[in-house]
Amino acid sequence: MRIEITSKQITITDTMRTKVEERFQKLEKLQVPLINPHCIITKEPKGVKVEATINVPNGQIFAHAENDDLYKAIGQLFQKIERQLTKYIHKSEAARAKNNGKDMCRNGDISGEAIEEPEIEIESDAEIKLNKEFAA
């Protein structure tokens, strides 16, 4: 996988490049094809801003993080990306949209009317005590 790393107002060192590449290799373990990952490192007055854009099948993932320390910002960025990738992986398993109550009402599977429950006769406490056998 070819990772594109660009920077604004900062030079990319070998340690920066290896840190970003290591984190992308950890993301490959989720078994999602990462298409054309791009990382942008920007020097700002508050600290460092790191952005990443990754194309995945049927979508795109974007995240950014800001911190005083570059390596903490990279760590925060990849936590966000990992969270989005796990959500992307399990999206097909989530059946919230398919099986919600509105669609079932529209299809006629259930009706919106209240169901009346049959009345149950309750025996008094005195009759229950007389009918029970107590072991001595």
Side-chain angles (χ1 to χ4, degrees):
M1 171 177 46
R2 185 174 169 268
I3 302 165
E4 189 174 332
I5 303 172
T6 58
S7 66
K8 296 178 183 175
Q9 301 174 352
I10 194 169
T11 57
I12 299 175
T13 62
D14 291 336
T15 56
M16 290 173 161
R17 186 175 299 279
T18 56
K19 185 72 170 178
V20 170
E21 289 174 353
E22 286 174 4
R23 297 304 296 249
F24 271 112
Q25 287 176 355
K26 287 183 181 180
L27 292 178
E28 286 182 340
K29 293 179 183 178
L30 294 174
Q31 297 181 354
V32 176
L34 305 177
I35 304 166
N36 194 19
H38 185 100
C39 186
I40 301 171
I41 302 170
T42 309
K43 176 77 174 163
E44 293 196 351
K46 298 177 186 175
V48 179
K49 181 177 179 181
V50 184
E51 299 175 348
T53 305
I54 304 170
N55 294 322
V56 291
N58 301 326
Q60 185 178 27
I61 293 176
F62 174 79
H64 72 280
E66 294 182 28
N67 202 324
D68 296 334
D69 184 22
L70 172 71
Y71 298 107
K72 285 184 182 180
I74 291 172
Q76 291 172 355
L77 172 78
F78 281 96
Q79 285 177 354
K80 291 178 183 181
I81 291 173
E82 185 175 0
R83 201 174 314 127
Q84 289 182 26
L85 280 175
T86 54
K87 185 176 178 181
Y88 173 80
I89 291 168
H90 298 294
K91 192 171 188 177
S92 63
E93 297 171 10
R96 292 183 206 113
K98 286 191 286 185
N99 298 328
N100 65 6
K102 290 180 183 178
D103 287 341
M104 294 175 77
C105 284
R106 288 182 190 128
N107 295 338
D109 297 336
I110 60 172
S111 65
E113 299 173 5
I115 301 172
E116 293 183 27
E117 295 183 13
E119 293 184 24
I120 301 171
E121 294 182 22
I122 301 174
E123 299 177 8
S124 67
D125 291 337
E127 292 177 7
I128 293 173
K129 288 180 183 176
L130 292 174
N131 293 335
K132 286 188 177 179
E133 296 179 13
F134 295 99

